[in-house]
Amino acid sequence: MAPPVAVVSGGSRGLGLAVCRALASDGHRVAVLSRTLAGAAEAAAGLEGAAARHTGLACDVRDSSSVDAAVSDIVAWAGAPQVVVNAAGVSHDALLARATDAQIEATMETNLLGSLRLCRAAARAMLRGRVHHGSCATLTPSRPPNPRARCLP
């Protein structure tokens, strides 16, 4: 039986890279997604196991066509994913009270809508591939990365 396929957005660094490493060490084939191909490819090359077991792809979760293309490439490479981890995210170094509409919209576009886009594209691939036991998770830090990035009382 082929190893399960996992997709991790934001997988080239931080929490996403840690998830990629854990999945690779558990025997998954990992598709590392990052906004830059260089970052994704470097992260994939550094994962445990044979280099051919993992791949790095450029994917901007803010763009549906980029997400759909990445999932299509993953299906062609290894079949439908069984695991999807949304770790892509942005954070602006500003108090919420001082955040601009553009900062709020950029955060929502990546952190919320990007997660939904990837889950939707992966779910479609899972249904077409008859994956009966798939899962999709979104990771967020337990506290803001910057203590100032919080709402004032």
PDB file of all heavy atoms in Angstrom, residues 38-54:
ATOM      1  N   ALA A  38      11.271  28.121  -4.467  1.00  0.00           N
ATOM      2  CA  ALA A  38      12.574  27.854  -3.861  1.00  0.00           C
ATOM      3  C   ALA A  38      12.423  27.432  -2.403  1.00  0.00           C
ATOM      4  O   ALA A  38      13.051  26.461  -1.959  1.00  0.00           O
ATOM      5  CB  ALA A  38      13.469  29.081  -3.977  1.00  0.00           C
ATOM      6  N   GLY A  39      11.596  28.139  -1.655  1.00  0.00           N
ATOM      7  CA  GLY A  39      11.379  27.795  -0.251  1.00  0.00           C
ATOM      8  C   GLY A  39      10.729  26.437  -0.088  1.00  0.00           C
ATOM      9  O   GLY A  39      11.118  25.641   0.773  1.00  0.00           O
ATOM     10  N   ALA A  40       9.738  26.150  -0.916  1.00  0.00           N
ATOM     11  CA  ALA A  40       9.041  24.858  -0.846  1.00  0.00           C
ATOM     12  C   ALA A  40       9.970  23.716  -1.220  1.00  0.00           C
ATOM     13  O   ALA A  40       9.995  22.682  -0.550  1.00  0.00           O
ATOM     14  CB  ALA A  40       7.822  24.879  -1.764  1.00  0.00           C
ATOM     15  N   ALA A  41      10.739  23.901  -2.282  1.00  0.00           N
ATOM     16  CA  ALA A  41      11.649  22.845  -2.740  1.00  0.00           C
ATOM     17  C   ALA A  41      12.742  22.571  -1.707  1.00  0.00           C
ATOM     18  O   ALA A  41      13.087  21.411  -1.451  1.00  0.00           O
ATOM     19  CB  ALA A  41      12.268  23.236  -4.076  1.00  0.00           C
ATOM     20  N   GLU A  42      13.276  23.632  -1.113  1.00  0.00           N
ATOM     21  CA  GLU A  42      14.319  23.464  -0.090  1.00  0.00           C
ATOM     22  C   GLU A  42      13.777  22.714   1.123  1.00  0.00           C
ATOM     23  O   GLU A  42      14.431  21.816   1.659  1.00  0.00           O
ATOM     24  CB  GLU A  42      14.866  24.822   0.334  1.00  0.00           C
ATOM     25  CG  GLU A  42      15.977  24.743   1.356  1.00  0.00           C
ATOM     26  CD  GLU A  42      16.513  26.107   1.769  1.00  0.00           C
ATOM     27  OE1 GLU A  42      16.320  27.085   1.019  1.00  0.00           O
ATOM     28  OE2 GLU A  42      17.119  26.184   2.850  1.00  0.00           O
ATOM     29  N   ALA A  43      12.582  23.082   1.564  1.00  0.00           N
ATOM     30  CA  ALA A  43      11.971  22.400   2.710  1.00  0.00           C
ATOM     31  C   ALA A  43      11.711  20.933   2.391  1.00  0.00           C
ATOM     32  O   ALA A  43      12.004  20.050   3.212  1.00  0.00           O
ATOM     33  CB  ALA A  43      10.679  23.096   3.113  1.00  0.00           C
ATOM     34  N   ALA A  44      11.183  20.650   1.205  1.00  0.00           N
ATOM     35  CA  ALA A  44      10.895  19.267   0.815  1.00  0.00           C
ATOM     36  C   ALA A  44      12.171  18.438   0.737  1.00  0.00           C
ATOM     37  O   ALA A  44      12.202  17.282   1.165  1.00  0.00           O
ATOM     38  CB  ALA A  44      10.152  19.232  -0.519  1.00  0.00           C
ATOM     39  N   ALA A  45      13.229  19.032   0.214  1.00  0.00           N
ATOM     40  CA  ALA A  45      14.507  18.314   0.078  1.00  0.00           C
ATOM     41  C   ALA A  45      15.105  17.963   1.434  1.00  0.00           C
ATOM     42  O   ALA A  45      15.842  16.978   1.548  1.00  0.00           O
ATOM     43  CB  ALA A  45      15.487  19.156  -0.732  1.00  0.00           C
ATOM     44  N   GLY A  46      14.780  18.735   2.463  1.00  0.00           N
ATOM     45  CA  GLY A  46      15.326  18.489   3.785  1.00  0.00           C
ATOM     46  C   GLY A  46      14.523  17.534   4.642  1.00  0.00           C
ATOM     47  O   GLY A  46      14.899  17.259   5.782  1.00  0.00           O
ATOM     48  N   LEU A  47      13.441  16.991   4.112  1.00  0.00           N
ATOM     49  CA  LEU A  47      12.602  16.079   4.895  1.00  0.00           C
ATOM     50  C   LEU A  47      13.181  14.676   4.920  1.00  0.00           C
ATOM     51  O   LEU A  47      13.867  14.246   3.994  1.00  0.00           O
ATOM     52  CB  LEU A  47      11.183  16.049   4.329  1.00  0.00           C
ATOM     53  CG  LEU A  47      10.416  17.364   4.402  1.00  0.00           C
ATOM     54  CD1 LEU A  47       9.037  17.205   3.759  1.00  0.00           C
ATOM     55  CD2 LEU A  47      10.287  17.857   5.829  1.00  0.00           C
ATOM     56  N   GLU A  48      12.856  13.969   5.987  1.00  0.00           N
ATOM     57  CA  GLU A  48      13.321  12.601   6.173  1.00  0.00           C
ATOM     58  C   GLU A  48      12.776  11.690   5.074  1.00  0.00           C
ATOM     59  O   GLU A  48      11.629  11.812   4.654  1.00  0.00           O
ATOM     60  CB  GLU A  48      12.825  12.104   7.532  1.00  0.00           C
ATOM     61  CG  GLU A  48      13.243  10.710   7.895  1.00  0.00           C
ATOM     62  CD  GLU A  48      12.722  10.320   9.273  1.00  0.00           C
ATOM     63  OE1 GLU A  48      12.843  11.131  10.210  1.00  0.00           O
ATOM     64  OE2 GLU A  48      12.186   9.211   9.391  1.00  0.00           O
ATOM     65  N   GLY A  49      13.598  10.762   4.609  1.00  0.00           N
ATOM     66  CA  GLY A  49      13.171   9.803   3.600  1.00  0.00           C
ATOM     67  C   GLY A  49      13.731  10.149   2.235  1.00  0.00           C
ATOM     68  O   GLY A  49      14.420  11.146   2.060  1.00  0.00           O
ATOM     69  N   ALA A  50      13.428   9.317   1.284  1.00  0.00           N
ATOM     70  CA  ALA A  50      13.927   9.517  -0.072  1.00  0.00           C
ATOM     71  C   ALA A  50      13.415  10.834  -0.647  1.00  0.00           C
ATOM     72  O   ALA A  50      12.274  11.216  -0.423  1.00  0.00           O
ATOM     73  CB  ALA A  50      13.486   8.351  -0.961  1.00  0.00           C
ATOM     74  N   ALA A  51      14.279  11.518  -1.383  1.00  0.00           N
ATOM     75  CA  ALA A  51      13.907  12.818  -1.951  1.00  0.00           C
ATOM     76  C   ALA A  51      12.677  12.716  -2.841  1.00  0.00           C
ATOM     77  O   ALA A  51      11.864  13.633  -2.886  1.00  0.00           O
ATOM     78  CB  ALA A  51      15.084  13.396  -2.728  1.00  0.00           C
ATOM     79  N   ALA A  52      12.515  11.605  -3.533  1.00  0.00           N
ATOM     80  CA  ALA A  52      11.365  11.438  -4.426  1.00  0.00           C
ATOM     81  C   ALA A  52      10.061  11.272  -3.648  1.00  0.00           C
ATOM     82  O   ALA A  52       8.985  11.340  -4.224  1.00  0.00           O
ATOM     83  CB  ALA A  52      11.582  10.237  -5.336  1.00  0.00           C
ATOM     84  N   ARG A  53      10.166  11.056  -2.338  1.00  0.00           N
ATOM     85  CA  ARG A  53       8.957  10.880  -1.519  1.00  0.00           C
ATOM     86  C   ARG A  53       8.253  12.183  -1.215  1.00  0.00           C
ATOM     87  O   ARG A  53       7.108  12.176  -0.769  1.00  0.00           O
ATOM     88  CB  ARG A  53       9.340  10.212  -0.198  1.00  0.00           C
ATOM     89  CG  ARG A  53       8.706   8.865  -0.041  1.00  0.00           C
ATOM     90  CD  ARG A  53       9.054   8.212   1.238  1.00  0.00           C
ATOM     91  NE  ARG A  53       8.395   8.852   2.370  1.00  0.00           N
ATOM     92  CZ  ARG A  53       8.668   8.570   3.624  1.00  0.00           C
ATOM     93  NH1 ARG A  53       9.599   7.713   3.906  1.00  0.00           N
ATOM     94  NH2 ARG A  53       8.027   9.164   4.600  1.00  0.00           N
ATOM     95  N   HIS A  54       8.924  13.313  -1.416  1.00  0.00           N
ATOM     96  CA  HIS A  54       8.360  14.607  -1.059  1.00  0.00           C
ATOM     97  C   HIS A  54       8.502  15.570  -2.231  1.00  0.00           C
ATOM     98  O   HIS A  54       9.371  15.401  -3.077  1.00  0.00           O
ATOM     99  CB  HIS A  54       9.066  15.165   0.172  1.00  0.00           C
ATOM    100  CG  HIS A  54       9.188  14.173   1.288  1.00  0.00           C
ATOM    101  ND1 HIS A  54       8.090  13.665   1.959  1.00  0.00           N
ATOM    102  CD2 HIS A  54      10.263  13.559   1.826  1.00  0.00           C
ATOM    103  CE1 HIS A  54       8.495  12.794   2.864  1.00  0.00           C
ATOM    104  NE2 HIS A  54       9.808  12.713   2.802  1.00  0.00           N
TER     105      HIS A  54
END
